[in-house]
Amino acid sequence: MTPAGPRSDPRPLDVAVIGAGVVGCAVFREFAIAGARCALIERDADLLAGASKGNSAILHTGFDATPGTLEARCVGDGYRRYREIHAKLNLPVLDTGAVVVAWTAQEEAALPAIVARAHENGVRDVRLMGAAELRVREPRLAADARAAVLVPGEAIIDPWSAPLAYALQGLAHGGTVHRNTLVKGGTRTPEGWKLATDAGVIHARVVVNCAGNFGDHVEAIARPSPFRIRPRKGQFVVFDKSASAIASSIVLPVPTERTKGVVVCRTIFGNLIVGPTAEDQDDRTAATVDQAALRALIDTGTRILPALADHPVTATYAGLRPATEHKDYQIEALPSANWITVAGIRSTGLTGSLGIAAHVRDLHEEHFGRFDPPATIIWTPVDNLAEHRPRGHMACDRSRIVCHCELVTEREIAAAFEGPLPVASLGGLKRRTRCMMGRCQGFYCTRRVMEIASGRCGDLVEHIA
Amino acid sequence: MTDKAIIDRPVVIIGAGPAGLTAARRLRDLGTQGVLVVERNPEAGGLPRFCGHPGWGLLDFGRVWRGPVYARKLVAAASGVEILTDATVTALHPGGRIEVSSRSGPMTVHAHAALIATGIREAPRSARLVGGSRPWGVTTTGAFQEMVYAGSLRPFRRPVIVGSELVSFSALLTARHAGIRPVAMIEEGPRIVAYRPGDWIARWAFGVPVMTNAHVVEICGTDRVEAVLVERAGHRERIACDGVIFTGQFTPEATLARLGHLHVDPRTGGPSIDDRWRCSDPAYFAAGNVLRPVEHSGFVAAEARRAADSIATALTSQDASGDAAVAVMPGGAARYVYPQRIVSREARVMLYGRADREHRGHLRVAVDGRIIAERRVHARPERRLAIAIDAGGLRGAAALSFILD
């Protein structure tokens, strides 16, 4: 196929990816570095404004996936690929390991099956851990922890910088990103699809539907959707950074049929989170929190780690997982329709994304042909936001610190408005820099952030005459 | 990065607000050389810088000024003391080793004594666990005042004000200054928290309806606040607005103590101190609003003076009586008490605390079960409780209780 051309090129693009969540960004990157002329189309002003906005930010080994499923395969593959490329994109990994803790005799009895499943999934270092060893590893765990399964490979990553780096790498390879662009429909052409958007027509040979919580709506452009998205809301409580010393591992419960349950884990930004809840809802955008659920999460967290009671809450958030009536990922190529469906990526999308992207590219190669890859791959490292690695404020000639809680400098905020993918919303700015995300939630920095951001993130404030 | 700078100072004061600047001035007056004040903002003065209404300075300067004037007077009064602005303390280590992020790079300061005077902030929406979506337009009084007075920025036109403490009326005054018309003041309790005529002022002077026994259950809106859902007497009411100002519910900005090795009293939310203002590590002292939820600046300044006196004494004496500290615990309806430890065995020691509810009764101090001080009080959660004791009575004592019953 042809190499990337200028935007006025009348030929259709090779691939149009709908949806700039983590999966869409990874698929966009994969096609761009494979040599495709591709576009990433996003309805919101910034990346990650939907399902990818709020998750637990764990890099999963896939130890607990149902063996033989596509999800198991993509998560395992995505895990390996992230480990392979993260340093080149300056993306962090905090190797914490995880413990699946049994609190009852019944749960304890379920542990050997968890180990067996992990081994079947190829995660061979997973093993049982007795109460005494667990106590040494996690001394602050409540006293009635009976036993655990140790998963050494589970880790914590940055849920927002990773997809940003993927999108930037796609851009560096000639891809284009269209934000504020809602796909309203599509018509078939001899070559592929003309997608009607509220920002004009995008013509592409193959469309990849990565539309997350709107996956079934977008699917309806190609066919009656064989799945229905019913978002599953997950609320989280973020505790102060002082709480991150309480647990070193990710603390997982023994899962039930329905959900992986409430997790207690540190974040890459140095906090500790408790969540998620699992609440099915029809609304596809309302990621609201409610006090009763948040209190229940705090109670659960305090039940697992009693010392949590002395630590303040920094933030609360909710994410919407794009669940379908099927348990597994819904990924398939429709050869006669020039369409690839990537849907139902419920809760493992952050880890699975790179594996999903590779799988989607394989599907493309099988059904629609392959591209000529570029001679060299361009790497687009992003600024580090992880607490355990050097940050911008540590530089010798640092600019003024604007956000004191998260130690974000003026230069970092200014940089977010520059480059090939400048932020265009307050949410995007927060995800990109961490400003206003700390314990004071803007008490100390709102004015300064507004002075810099208002007008560039929508009209947030007026000037008093 | 080059080699990290390392400097040595007899006293480091963290925070250049009313407490830090007053301590700096006092130490200078006592003849202590080489005091360094570290301030993370571009200018010294603390939160009063953004409180444009009058009411500052009466107790410490004998005058009444607007906040920004008071802040300037504090800075001027501490002249001669070195203030390093744009410098953020990032960590406190045992023995007075302090990590600072300065404009010229990270540095380590070794202090013989360090005073934590990092003040206070309001509890944001998240810490109050308020439900709903997360649109723009949700803020605190402090951030609102800074937007209006320092930035000439108007973030909304018709906000609701949550809370009715004194600071909530600062939010009202600030709104009026900015041409903003709050649509309601929402108070969870049965009455306005600030002294009368607060509710009268709100209703008649500003035309803002006051809803008591009401609380915000949900914030609605996608990009910007569109409404709040308020629950009152079992009924839910939707109030259209374009912003929410969460006022009060002050929290000590005790992050450095929390993240480091210093003991934090979960009741006050601040570092625990002894009656000489010392934290659990004797190299560190603390004074001002970092000790507990809010006191006015005059009281804070008085505390800082006494802490400075204690620091000056500690620098010149061999220190510490051999007596063990006597732990002070709250009891009954007392929510907290400080100082949390008493090391003196002579002279008068003041104990301060707050009640967890409105209560008429007795405030008593008991040593190993024996009452050593007592007085009648009408306590309210927002009012300070204070009682003096004779520390001479503590010889051989194990524990002391501060009981409201």
Side-chain angles (χ1 to χ4, degrees):
Chain A
M1 286 210 180
T2 46
R7 288 184 68 171
S8 57
D9 195 327
R11 293 167 302 158
L13 295 164
D14 295 321
V15 179
V17 181
I18 303 176
V22 63
V23 173
C25 289
V27 169
F28 171 65
R29 167 188 179 270
E30 186 72 36
F31 279 114
I33 63 179
R37 296 168 58 251
C38 56
L40 177 62
I41 308 168
E42 168 56 42
R43 69 202 303 268
D44 275 293
D46 271 310
L47 313 179
L48 316 175
S52 302
K53 185 162 62 177
N55 56 56
S56 58
I58 296 172
L59 184 67
H60 295 290
T61 54
F63 76 97
D64 56 351
T66 306
T69 58
L70 188 56
E71 181 177 15
R73 198 178 116 194
C74 289
V75 168
D77 190 34
Y79 178 89
R80 281 184 292 279
R81 286 172 186 270
Y82 184 86
R83 292 257 180 208
E84 229 170 82
I85 68 167
H86 76 90
K88 289 181 213 163
L89 293 172
N90 197 32
L91 294 171
V93 176
L94 183 62
D95 282 302
T96 57
V99 285
V100 183
V101 178
W103 301 95
T104 64
Q106 195 186 354
E107 286 176 351
E108 191 175 355
L111 296 185
I114 294 173
V115 175
R117 173 178 276 202
H119 291 176
E120 198 180 338
N121 281 321
V123 190
R124 309 217 172 272
D125 56 357
V126 173
R127 63 175 175 84
L128 288 172
M129 183 178 250
E133 193 187 351
L134 179 61
R135 189 130 327 280
V136 171
R137 188 180 170 100
E138 296 299 339
R140 314 289 285 274
L141 219 49
D144 52 342
R146 299 172 69 101
V149 168
L150 174 69
V151 190
E154 296 274 301
I156 308 289
I157 60 175
D158 178 341
W160 301 312
S161 294
L164 170 67
Y166 303 161
L168 289 172
Q169 200 172 10
L171 281 167
H173 280 271
T176 52
V177 176
H178 305 266
R179 289 178 286 166
N180 282 317
T181 304
L182 177 70
V183 175
K184 297 197 287 200
T187 47
R188 288 303 307 268
T189 65
E191 296 93 346
W193 284 94
K194 274 193 171 161
L195 293 175
T197 79
D198 54 5
V201 172
I202 294 172
H203 193 188
R205 292 179 204 282
V206 175
V207 172
V208 186
N209 170 13
C210 299
N213 283 310
F214 294 89
D216 50 353
H217 290 185
V218 169
E219 191 69 10
I221 294 171
R223 58 169 171 170
S225 180
F227 53 86
R228 185 172 155 251
I229 303 284
R230 184 125 198 274
R232 184 165 299 159
K233 182 165 78 178
Q235 302 187 45
F236 290 84
V237 174
V238 184
F239 282 87
D240 190 75
K241 297 189 185 206
S242 58
S244 72
I246 299 177
S248 70
S249 317
I250 299 162
V251 181
L252 304 167
V254 174
T256 65
E257 186 56 21
R258 186 179 141 71
T259 155
K260 288 185 175 178
V262 173
V263 178
V264 180
C265 71
R266 293 146 76 193
T267 73
I268 203 81
F269 312 114
N271 296 85
L272 185 127
I273 57 172
V274 179
T277 56
E279 308 158 60
D280 292 328
Q281 65 178 41
D282 291 319
D283 195 302
R284 292 160 189 260
T285 57
T288 57
V289 294
D290 69 88
Q291 194 170 87
L294 298 173
R295 284 201 192 287
L297 285 174
I298 292 170
D299 288 347
T300 305
T302 310
R303 157 86 186 72
I304 294 166
L305 291 166
L308 212 45
D310 289 340
H311 294 269
V313 169
T314 286
T316 63
Y317 68 94
L320 298 179
R321 290 162 268 176
T324 69
E325 59 273 54
H326 310 286
K327 291 198 90 172
D328 202 0
Y329 289 175
Q330 300 298 299
I331 303 179
E332 66 175 307
L334 310 179
S336 59
N338 284 38
W339 188 274
I340 300 177
T341 305
V342 184
I345 315 299
R346 275 181 311 167
S347 59
T348 46
L350 181 62
T351 306
S353 60
L354 293 174
I356 291 166
H359 176 61
V360 168
R361 198 205 46 203
D362 287 346
L363 288 175
H364 188 283
E365 195 171 311
E366 185 184 335
H367 298 287
F368 307 113
R370 52 168 302 151
F371 307 101
D372 296 328
T376 54
I377 291 183
I378 303 162
W379 295 94
T380 49
V382 290
D383 286 344
N384 172 58
L385 296 177
E387 188 88 345
H388 67 293
R389 301 177 59 222
R391 295 269 313 275
H393 73 86
M394 298 173 185
C396 269
D397 57 343
R398 73 155 166 84
S399 57
R400 204 162 266 172
I401 290 174
V402 172
C403 167
H404 294 295
C405 300
E406 295 297 311
L407 298 169
V408 185
T409 61
E410 273 179 354
R411 191 172 299 154
E412 288 165 285
I413 294 176
F417 291 103
E418 292 157 7
L421 207 51
V423 294
S425 65
L426 188 58
L429 181 66
K430 290 172 163 183
R431 292 192 289 274
R432 190 82 73 93
T433 65
R434 296 214 41 78
C435 72
M436 300 174 81
M437 300 275 263
R439 56 182 73 80
C440 88
Q441 294 280 298
F443 180 87
Y444 294 115
C445 70
T446 301
R447 186 257 306 182
R448 192 69 197 105
V449 172
M450 286 305 123
E451 284 174 347
I452 304 171
S454 189
R456 300 152 104 178
C457 291
D459 293 326
L460 302 171
V461 294
E462 301 170 297
H463 286 271
I464 300 170
Chain B
M1 272 177 222
T2 52
D3 286 340
K4 199 183 206 179
I6 298 175
I7 64 170
D8 220 79
R9 287 300 181 105
V11 181
V12 170
I13 296 172
I14 305 165
L21 291 171
T22 304
R25 168 169 130 219
R26 179 67 171 171
L27 283 164
R28 180 203 60 197
D29 292 348
L30 292 169
T32 305
Q33 303 289 317
V35 174
L36 176 68
V37 183
V38 182
E39 168 57 48
R40 64 189 187 176
N41 284 295
E43 69 283 334
L47 290 183
R49 283 175 303 152
F50 309 121
C51 301
H53 55 84
W56 303 83
L58 185 63
L59 288 188
D60 40 344
F61 289 94
R63 300 278 302 278
V64 179
W65 291 306
R66 291 175 189 276
V69 178
Y70 173 65
R72 285 198 295 277
K73 298 285 182 184
L74 284 169
V75 177
S79 67
V81 181
E82 187 187 351
I83 303 174
L84 185 65
T85 55
D86 255 325
T88 301
V89 174
T90 54
L92 305 179
H93 298 297
R97 186 163 62 87
I98 299 170
E99 303 297 342
V100 179
S101 166
S102 78
R103 288 297 286 273
S104 51
M107 64 182 196
T108 303
V109 186
H110 291 277
H112 295 237
L115 176 67
I116 303 171
T118 45
I120 203 145
R121 59 180 165 80
E122 291 163 292
R125 173 262 181 96
S126 55
R128 301 168 188 237
L129 305 181
V130 174
S133 56
R134 296 192 303 150
W136 162 244
V138 181
T139 189
T140 46
T141 316
F144 174 52
Q145 289 186 319
E146 188 177 336
M147 277 188 271
V148 168
Y149 288 117
S152 291
L153 301 173
R154 182 165 41 215
F156 31 59
R157 290 275 184 163
R158 301 170 297 111
V160 295
I161 295 177
V162 181
S164 66
E165 299 177 34
L166 266 179
V167 66
S168 319
F169 292 91
S170 298
L172 260 184
L173 289 164
T174 306
R176 189 164 76 161
H177 176 83
I180 291 167
R181 294 195 66 89
V183 293
M185 181 175 250
I186 299 164
E187 167 56 41
E188 279 191 24
R191 60 178 181 84
I192 290 276
V193 177
Y195 294 118
R196 280 177 186 279
D199 51 349
W200 185 87
I201 294 171
R203 242 183 283 258
W204 299 105
F206 297 100
V208 177
V210 179
M211 304 170 72
T212 51
N213 284 315
H215 68 280
V216 176
V217 288
E218 197 176 316
I219 294 172
C220 315
T222 44
D223 292 332
R224 173 178 282 278
V225 175
E226 290 161 17
V228 290
L229 215 52
V230 175
E231 193 170 274
R232 184 157 56 159
H235 294 284
R236 288 193 171 191
E237 182 182 343
R238 188 181 157 96
I239 301 176
C241 57
D242 63 351
V244 185
I245 309 173
F246 284 100
T247 67
Q249 288 197 13
F250 284 94
T251 308
E253 181 51 73
T255 302
L256 290 168
R258 252 179 218 294
L259 292 179
H261 63 297
L262 299 176
H263 177 260
V264 173
D265 181 346
R267 298 180 188 88
T268 57
S272 68
I273 54 165
D274 66 22
D275 61 302
R276 291 171 187 167
W277 309 89
R278 271 195 154 130
C279 300
S280 56
D281 174 344
Y284 292 95
F285 296 72
N289 279 332
V290 72
L291 293 178
R292 82 286 87 182
V294 70
E295 289 285 359
H296 63 78
S297 58
F299 185 85
V300 159
E303 283 183 334
R305 281 171 64 89
R306 284 182 280 143
D309 290 346
S310 189
I311 289 170
T313 305
L315 289 175
T316 52
S317 69
Q318 280 303 310
D319 197 38
S321 54
D323 292 301
V326 178
V328 184
M329 297 294 286
R335 181 154 55 101
Y336 63 72
V337 60
Y338 70 95
Q340 290 86 348
R341 296 177 298 279
I342 298 175
V343 292
S344 298
R345 289 298 179 273
E346 52 202 32
R348 204 173 78 120
V349 170
M350 289 299 298
L351 299 179
Y352 299 103
R354 292 273 175 112
D356 60 13
R357 57 182 181 270
E358 182 166 0
H359 182 84
R360 282 173 202 274
H362 288 86
L363 180 61
R364 305 176 213 266
V365 179
V367 177
D368 300 335
R370 179 172 50 87
I371 306 292
I372 60 162
E374 172 173 28
R375 66 187 191 84
R376 285 198 63 81
V377 290
H378 175 196
R380 281 184 164 174
E382 69 276 12
R383 282 188 204 162
R384 180 192 322 135
L385 296 168
I387 193 164
I389 61 162
D390 175 6
L394 297 182
R395 283 173 213 288
L400 187 149
S401 307
F402 176 89
I403 305 158
L404 183 60
D405 60 9

